[in-house]
């Protein structure tokens, strides 16, 4: 709650039942979904902070810092297309599911704001959906893409279906909201998958290129860190210049790093201790 500045009332207003049910439909991706929901998604900037050997930038547009926000804001052509597809998927869902007109307009307007990182004040105003809007305002509109949506939405859908006398056990506010969150998670997963293919490669060739790039990045850092301060008995390690060692096969580079990085780290640490 503290993390998001939610009051107890706001926290309790989130439809956690729908959220939980939708999340269970994504059990096969659960670890990543949980990271996504808890702001610890392993994006470049986050990985680089934990270990500088990882590339911090966006693999899709080469922005130097791939933050969680950037994931959504990325201007690569694929990501622009994804935003359109995500919007269309939600639109198709609300139309197919006979959604209360009060919800439709607001939800789609709010979704646009999330997808394009606009200020929530740009969400259309309409007196008929004021209560719904205020409820989601309190939770935060960006939470829409995390499936944290006000109960007012499922309740409004219940009211609407009851009025039309079409509510059933399988067609009510809760099933409607669960389905909506499920669609949002599905779309989000497509985005994450696409980004991972850009980062780690999507076929044998691009995967091996990505591995090579990572090995070269680590090798460069290794030379930068230790070449100038190598103990005499290990100087031979740097007899092959960086540029030449980079040309070796990826497994050979990785083997070299795995063997010698711990040794140099250790000797570096010992020297630091000795010299204070
Ligand atoms: Zn990008």
């Amino acid at each position: 709650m503290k993390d998001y500045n939610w009051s107890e009332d706001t926290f309790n207003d989130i439809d956690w039942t729908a959220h939980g049910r939708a999340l269970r439909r994504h059990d096969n991706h659960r670890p990543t979904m949980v990271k996504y929901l808890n702001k610890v998604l392993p994006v470049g900037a986050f990985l680089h902070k934990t270990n500088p050997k990882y590339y911090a930038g966006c693999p899709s547009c080469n922005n130097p810092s791939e933050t969680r926000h950037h994931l959504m804001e990325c201007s690569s052509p694929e990501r622009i297309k994804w935003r359109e597809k995500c919007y269309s998927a939600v639109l198709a869902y609300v139309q197919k599911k006979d959604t209360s007109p009060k919800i439709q307009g607001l939800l789609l307007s709010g979704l646009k704001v999330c997808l394009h990182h606009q200020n929530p004040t740009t969400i259309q105003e309409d007196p008929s959906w004021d209560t719904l809007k205020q409820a989601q305002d309190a939770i935060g509109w960006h939470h829409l893409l995390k499936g944290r949506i006000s109960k007012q939405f499922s309740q409004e859908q219940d009211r609407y279906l009851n009025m039309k006398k079409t509510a059933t056990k399988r067609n009510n506010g809760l099933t409607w909201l669960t389905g909506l969150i499920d669609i949002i998670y599905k779309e989000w997963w497509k985005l994450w998958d696409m980004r991972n293919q850009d980062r780690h490669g999507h076929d044998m060739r691009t995967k091996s290129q990505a591995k090579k790039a990572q090995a070269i990045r680590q090798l460069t850092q290794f030379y930068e860190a230790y070449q100038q301060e190598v103990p005499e008995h290990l100087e031979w390690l740097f007899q092959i210049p960086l540029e030449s060692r980079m040309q070796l096969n990826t497994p050979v580079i990785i083997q070299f790093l795995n063997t010698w990085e711990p040794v140099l780290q250790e000797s570096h640490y010992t020297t630091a201790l000795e010299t204070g």
Side-chain angles (χ1 to χ4, degrees):
M1 278 200 294
K2 263 189 200 160
D3 254 15
Y4 301 117
N5 274 330
W6 286 333
S7 70
E8 206 175 325
D9 284 350
T10 305
F11 179 86
N12 290 329
D13 186 51
I14 295 172
D15 199 322
W16 293 111
T17 311
H19 175 272
R21 285 188 183 185
L23 189 57
R24 273 200 293 282
R25 293 188 191 172
H26 295 264
D27 258 353
N28 48 342
H29 307 311
R30 197 175 178 93
T32 308
M33 289 303 293
V34 169
K35 283 179 192 162
Y36 164 56
L37 295 174
N38 292 293
K39 303 205 275 192
V40 284
L41 196 65
V43 285
F46 180 84
L47 286 173
H48 186 75
K49 227 177 176 179
T50 58
N51 190 332
K53 75 178 183 184
Y54 295 116
Y55 177 54
C58 170
S60 312
C61 75
N62 291 324
N63 184 297
S65 178
E66 187 199 31
T67 58
R68 283 177 287 114
H69 289 309
H70 179 80
L71 204 60
M72 295 289 170
E73 289 170 1
C74 180
S75 58
S76 78
E78 284 298 310
R79 215 62 66 86
I80 293 170
K81 257 190 237 159
W82 173 82
R83 285 193 278 269
E84 286 164 10
K85 280 187 185 160
C86 180
Y87 184 85
S88 306
V90 173
L91 175 66
Y93 178 78
V94 295
Q95 286 175 346
K96 190 179 105 190
K97 285 288 172 183
D98 187 19
T99 303
S100 156
K102 270 191 200 173
I103 296 178
Q104 286 203 27
L106 175 64
L107 183 67
L108 293 168
S109 181
L111 181 64
K112 240 184 212 164
V113 160
C114 295
L115 291 172
H116 299 279
H117 256 267
Q118 295 160 342
N119 194 316
T121 54
T122 59
I123 293 176
Q124 286 172 30
E125 298 284 345
D126 185 314
S128 76
W129 64 48
D130 265 359
T131 325
L132 289 174
K133 183 174 176 294
Q134 280 159 13
Q136 194 61 36
D137 275 346
I139 296 167
W141 280 93
H142 57 285
H143 285 286
L144 195 67
L145 291 177
K146 294 195 166 180
R148 293 164 183 153
I149 301 174
S150 166
K151 281 176 189 164
Q152 313 279 336
F153 284 78
S154 40
Q155 286 164 4
E156 166 54 30
Q157 181 66 2
D158 269 333
R159 261 193 298 273
Y160 175 71
L161 294 176
N162 284 329
M163 184 194 75
K164 290 188 74 182
K165 301 197 170 40
T166 52
T168 63
K169 234 182 167 184
R170 291 186 162 202
N171 182 31
N172 53 53
L174 179 58
T175 57
W176 172 84
L177 188 56
T178 304
L180 173 71
I181 300 172
D182 178 37
I183 297 273
I184 291 173
Y185 286 169
K186 270 189 193 131
E187 290 306 312
W188 184 82
W189 187 260
K190 285 183 198 163
L191 157 80
W192 184 242
D193 192 40
M194 213 158 61
R195 171 268 182 199
N196 283 338
Q197 289 192 14
D198 285 346
R199 187 168 172 112
H200 307 294
H202 52 84
D203 56 17
M204 287 262 279
R205 189 179 55 86
T206 47
K207 277 183 188 163
S208 110
Q209 278 172 351
K211 265 192 195 151
K212 176 97 190 183
Q214 175 62 22
I216 288 182
R217 194 161 35 246
Q218 278 177 249
L219 186 67
T220 309
Q221 287 174 359
F222 177 85
Y223 269 67
E224 280 168 6
Y226 303 116
Q227 192 170 18
Q228 303 305 323
E229 293 172 46
V230 63
E232 228 176 288
H233 68 285
L234 291 173
E235 271 173 2
W236 61 272
L237 282 175
F238 295 94
Q239 267 169 9
I240 300 182
L242 174 63
E243 287 67 28
S244 312
R245 203 178 281 282
M246 275 182 186
Q247 308 303 322
L248 300 172
N249 283 336
T250 310
V252 178
I253 298 178
I254 292 174
Q255 167 95 51
F256 173 81
L257 289 169
N258 287 347
T259 311
W260 295 109
E261 203 159 20
V263 176
L264 281 171
Q265 257 167 10
E266 172 80 7
S267 87
H268 211 70
Y269 176 69
T270 321
T271 319
L273 275 185
E274 280 165 4
T275 55

